[in-house]
Amino acid sequence: DQQVKQNSPSLSVQEGRISILNCDYTNSMFDYFLWYKKYPAEGPTFLISISSIKDKNEDGRFTVFLNKSAKHLSLHIVPSQPGDSAVYFCAATASGGSYIPTFGRGTSLIVHP
Amino acid sequence: EAGVTQFPSHSVIEKGQTVTLRCDPISGHDNLYWYRRVMGKEIKFLLHFVKESKQDESGMPNNRFLAERTGGTYSTLKVQPAELEDSGVYFCASSQVGGSEQFFGPGTRLTVL
């Protein structure tokens, strides 16, 4: 039973446009959310995170939005660049735990020049 | 500073054989984690070491999997005997004491034929 769901396996976007990657979760105990980026033949790397006390966190071209009532978060990339093409994993943890994230299945983003 | 390294990068074995995967964490990181991703699915937690002690091994699939971290430095994950469903990419990650950010290695792709 997936607790973190990324329902879009892939997303194709034109360079310069906005990429929006979505993630839903079911466990109410999750209170810290992370996005990881993964290139082929590499491990995931941490991209951006958000605590449940916030509804938005921004870092350069990357913004994560959290809607706790809907148990939904999204990652916005503006403007998208070809180098952003990668698999993006949404992950969630519960405070008081051991920082072990529960991952979604990932969304493969392709940014076309 | 060197990142997390894993060896081998690929391994192809036959059902019933034994395989040992190795992970070298970032120097000084007491926390070491093993994860597995079956193709197209989520990255799943296997176990967590703090130094040489197993903190959490709730994700280990069965007793065919044995993880060790003698001396609290590198770790090995042995699969014996391997089954077809063990195929996937095995990631190792490490983090500092009290640190929430995990740094992932490039993974070992295991194929069991």
Side-chain angles (χ1 to χ4, degrees):
Chain A
D1 181 35
Q2 283 186 270
Q3 297 186 62
V4 176
K5 299 179 184 180
Q6 295 178 256
N7 292 320
S8 297
S10 64
L11 175 67
S12 183
V13 170
Q14 200 71 28
E15 180 179 7
R17 306 294 289 268
I18 184 172
S19 296
I20 300 176
L21 295 93
N22 293 303
C23 177
D24 298 288
Y25 62 97
T26 58
N27 189 337
S28 304
M29 299 301 291
F30 289 148
D31 56 7
Y32 188 71
F33 304 89
L34 311 95
W35 285 93
Y36 286 83
K37 177 178 180 178
K38 184 188 172 309
Y39 291 118
E42 295 183 11
T45 55
F46 170 75
L47 183 60
I48 191 170
S49 63
I50 188 167
S51 164
S52 60
I53 61 173
K54 294 186 173 183
D55 55 18
K56 175 182 174 181
N57 187 26
E58 190 173 350
D59 183 2
R61 296 185 296 111
F62 303 90
T63 303
V64 57
F65 294 92
L66 175 63
N67 181 335
K68 282 194 301 182
S69 61
K71 293 191 176 68
H72 177 84
L73 62 155
S74 60
L75 174 67
H76 292 212
I77 306 174
V78 181
S80 301
Q81 299 174 352
D84 296 329
S85 298
V87 178
Y88 290 79
F89 290 95
C90 173
T93 65
S95 61
S98 56
Y99 299 112
I100 296 170
T102 300
F103 287 88
R105 293 189 173 188
T107 296
S108 177
L109 173 66
I110 299 173
V111 180
H112 297 282
Chain B
E1 181 184 292
V4 177
T5 58
Q6 293 187 244
F7 181 82
S9 56
H10 294 84
S11 180
V12 181
I13 61 173
E14 294 189 349
K15 176 182 169 180
Q17 290 187 319
T18 297
V19 63
T20 300
L21 314 181
R22 173 171 170 145
C23 168
D24 286 80
I26 292 172
S27 177
H29 281 193
D30 287 341
N31 292 304
L32 187 150
Y33 309 83
W34 283 99
Y35 295 87
R36 178 174 70 178
R37 185 184 188 214
V38 173
M39 189 171 66
K41 300 213 169 174
E42 62 270 31
I43 299 170
K44 280 197 170 180
F45 166 76
L46 297 179
L47 88 160
H48 170 209
F49 283 100
V50 177
K51 296 186 178 179
E52 67 273 12
S53 299
K54 290 177 186 174
Q55 185 75 14
D56 181 352
E57 52 184 329
S58 61
M60 294 288 263
N62 50 59
N63 59 10
R64 295 185 294 104
F65 289 74
L66 175 65
E68 295 180 323
R69 193 184 182 194
T70 307
T73 54
Y74 71 91
S75 175
T76 57
L77 179 64
K78 181 192 287 188
V79 185
Q80 178 183 32
E83 298 288 344
L84 299 179
E85 65 264 26
D86 301 333
S87 295
V89 180
Y90 290 76
F91 292 105
C92 175
S94 70
S95 69
Q96 294 178 328
V97 173
S100 59
E101 182 176 354
Q102 297 183 21
F103 296 84
F104 282 78
T108 293
R109 181 175 295 279
L110 174 64
T111 302
V112 183
L113 303 176

